[in-house]
């Protein structure tokens, strides 16, 4: 068995996210597994570094699958790119150690969230969240520092009560503003369901003055989802890189 | 009558160009005139700085129309943006002098042509022309200098014999390369049919070594379309700005 790892980008606009779930049609995973069936002559599962939700984009998703077929990674890449729709593309393919697993071995991931404070152009409208509110980026930057480090992030997620750990570490949050686009770039060792969109939503509401920065301490203390900010729309979110 | 001028951007991918022509459906002009009919209660014509062909994009198209309705330009802008499809957008609206005509008064225009020498990402694939050939950008830059100034450009156009003047002036051609994208930016006082796509096609073929730079002098001398380069695909072309 050869373990192939793929570096993948996609425009998530028209998909129901990465992960096949019950009968939900039109997932990105399904697109890959249809091609894998053709390639390997049998059902083969592909594992991504993490699901991305409906409408979320990726510039550096990583996924792996095991297959008996012995092909050069370049051929694997070309094969997929031949059959994938135009909004999904393999950037690179390589052979990994047999034990490599794209999700279990991921050390950290970087996501980017884009908020447009001017009307987005027709060229980037699908990749940003547009607001008419005025946003104080300096306030967002100061508040972001409170999120760094290891915390229980359950209050910044859509996770209901769970036995699994909801403790995660955020390594960095960089916020920059250019030409009316505020970019929030977050690196962490893992993210709970909706965590990036709720963290950016909380920072956004701090930026607009709807919330005070102190709310972050409260959410950590009380673990209460109702205190944190709104879940920003999926379209503004892009999975940038996965680090191993 | 008030003369309104609009600054417009569009993703030309799914349109048959700006200009209504006979029964060709799905032009950008038609989209505007449908809205104008609603706004003014009668047929009103809109004039663009120039037609853009099927599949060509714009970041700074200018168009004007005359209408008796007395509305603030901001209201005009919002009215159009409410009814226009998502891939066409008014950036700005203003009231111009009664004699202003977006095509007749244009002093110069800037077009940009993008050639990708690496496989384009899913995010920019609709806005570049992708080639697998290796391209010598320095050769292109040197050859571009020969195109500057006032010449008869008929050999760099799809214009058949005509009584109208085919003399135009190119003020500048800037060529730069970044992250696998070669951008050719051309400013001139006017462009003949397909002129930008044939000029960039000729520079491209000089860059790949298929043609020598001397071909440019020959095309000027012999006015022979068959000597100049191919017409590059529409998707790589964007009308950037119109100057008055």
């Amino acid at each position: 068995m050869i373990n192939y790892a793929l570096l993948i980008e996609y425009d998530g606009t028209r998909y129901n996210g990465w992960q096949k779930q019950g009968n939900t049609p039109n997932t990105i995973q399904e697109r890959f597994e249809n091609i894998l069936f053709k390639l390997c002559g049998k059902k083969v599962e592909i594992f991504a570094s993490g699901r991305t939700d409906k409408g979320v984009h990726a510039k550096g998703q990583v996924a792996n699958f095991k297959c008996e077929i012995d092909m050069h990674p370049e051929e694997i890449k070309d094969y997929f790119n031949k059959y994938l729709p135009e909004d999904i593309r393999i950037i690179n393919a390589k052979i990994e150690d047999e034990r490599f697993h794209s999700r279990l071995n991921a050390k950290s991931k970087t996501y980017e969230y884009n908020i447009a404070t001017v009307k987005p152009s027709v060229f980037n409208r699908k990749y940003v969240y547009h607001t008419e509110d005025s946003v104080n980026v300096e306030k967002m930057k100061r508040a972001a520092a409170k999120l760094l480090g290891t915390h229980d992030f359950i209050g910044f997620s859509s996770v209901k009560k769970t036995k699994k750990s909801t403790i995660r570490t955020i390594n960095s949050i960089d916020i920059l503003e250019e030409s009316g686009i505020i970019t929030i770039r977050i690196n962490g060792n893992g993210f709970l369901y909706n965590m990036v969109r709720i963290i950016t939503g909380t920072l956004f509401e701090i930026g607009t003055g709807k919330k005070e920065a102190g709310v972050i301490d409260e959410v950590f203390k009380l673990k209460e989802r109702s205190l944190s900010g709104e879940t920003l729309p999926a379209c503004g979110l892009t999975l940038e890189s996965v680090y191993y």
Side-chain angles (χ1 to χ4, degrees), chain A:
Chain A
M1 294 286 262
I2 299 176
N3 192 0
Y4 291 100
L6 307 175
L7 182 65
I8 305 164
E9 62 176 13
Y10 44 84
D11 178 333
T13 309
R14 66 187 186 102
Y15 296 100
N16 279 316
W18 171 272
Q19 185 160 299
K20 249 180 14 191
Q21 293 171 82
N23 289 321
T24 309
N26 201 27
T27 62
I28 297 161
Q29 183 180 8
E30 184 194 338
R31 296 292 175 125
F32 276 92
E33 292 183 356
N34 289 344
I35 297 170
L36 275 170
F37 189 85
K38 241 194 307 246
L39 178 70
C40 308
K42 61 174 184 182
K43 267 189 148 177
V44 172
E45 201 175 345
I46 186 164
F47 302 93
S49 72
R51 64 181 76 181
T52 51
D53 287 341
K54 178 176 163 62
V56 172
H57 317 290
K59 288 187 179 166
Q61 173 68 287
V62 175
N64 74 298
F65 65 91
K66 293 182 182 181
C67 180
E68 276 127 20
I69 287 175
D70 184 6
M71 276 166 82
H72 192 276
E74 271 302 303
E75 285 177 285
I76 292 281
K77 174 183 148 183
D78 292 346
Y79 189 88
F80 274 101
N81 281 337
K82 188 174 158 193
Y83 291 108
L84 282 167
E86 282 207 314
D87 48 9
I88 306 176
R89 196 174 72 89
I90 309 292
I91 302 169
N92 194 30
K94 61 178 174 178
I95 294 174
E96 282 285 358
D97 184 274
E98 205 189 319
R99 287 162 306 178
F100 173 82
H101 187 290
S102 54
R103 181 169 56 82
L104 300 176
N105 294 140
K107 286 213 172 61
S108 78
K109 284 184 207 169
T110 298
Y111 279 94
E112 220 174 82
Y113 198 94
N114 287 302
I115 299 169
T117 55
V118 296
K119 186 101 167 70
S121 81
V122 298
F123 302 102
N124 73 359
R125 76 200 138 86
K126 290 188 285 182
Y127 315 116
V128 300
Y129 161 60
H130 174 228
T131 181
E132 310 233 310
D133 298 341
S134 74
V135 187
N136 183 327
V137 175
E138 290 312 311
K139 271 192 184 174
M140 292 174 72
K141 284 182 186 174
R142 282 195 299 273
K146 291 174 176 284
L147 292 157
L148 299 179
T150 303
H151 305 276
D152 184 345
F153 281 95
I154 192 164
F156 290 103
S157 80
S158 299
V159 174
K160 306 287 165 209
K161 254 189 153 175
T162 175
K163 283 183 182 162
K164 289 184 190 164
S165 169
T166 48
I167 291 172
R168 296 289 185 278
T169 301
I170 293 188
N171 302 311
S172 63
I173 304 183
D174 298 306
I175 305 179
L176 41 116
E177 189 174 19
E178 207 192 314
S179 314
I181 308 276
I182 300 168
T183 300
I184 305 167
R185 182 178 268 266
I186 305 188
N187 177 272
N189 71 346
F191 294 92
L192 304 171
Y193 184 44
N194 281 344
M195 181 170 147
V196 181
R197 290 161 61 189
I198 295 170
I199 281 180
T200 50
T202 306
L203 292 173
F204 172 65
E205 291 186 16
I206 291 167
T208 60
K210 201 172 156 190
K211 287 195 193 309
E212 293 299 322
V215 75
I216 292 172
D217 309 306
E218 263 181 280
V219 175
F220 283 143
K221 202 166 99 189
L222 302 172
K223 304 184 198 315
E224 186 49 75
R225 168 67 185 103
S226 64
L227 297 174
S228 53
E230 58 178 312
T231 308
L232 291 185
C235 61
L237 185 62
T238 303
L239 171 58
E240 290 286 319
S241 325
V242 186
Y243 299 94
Y244 293 95

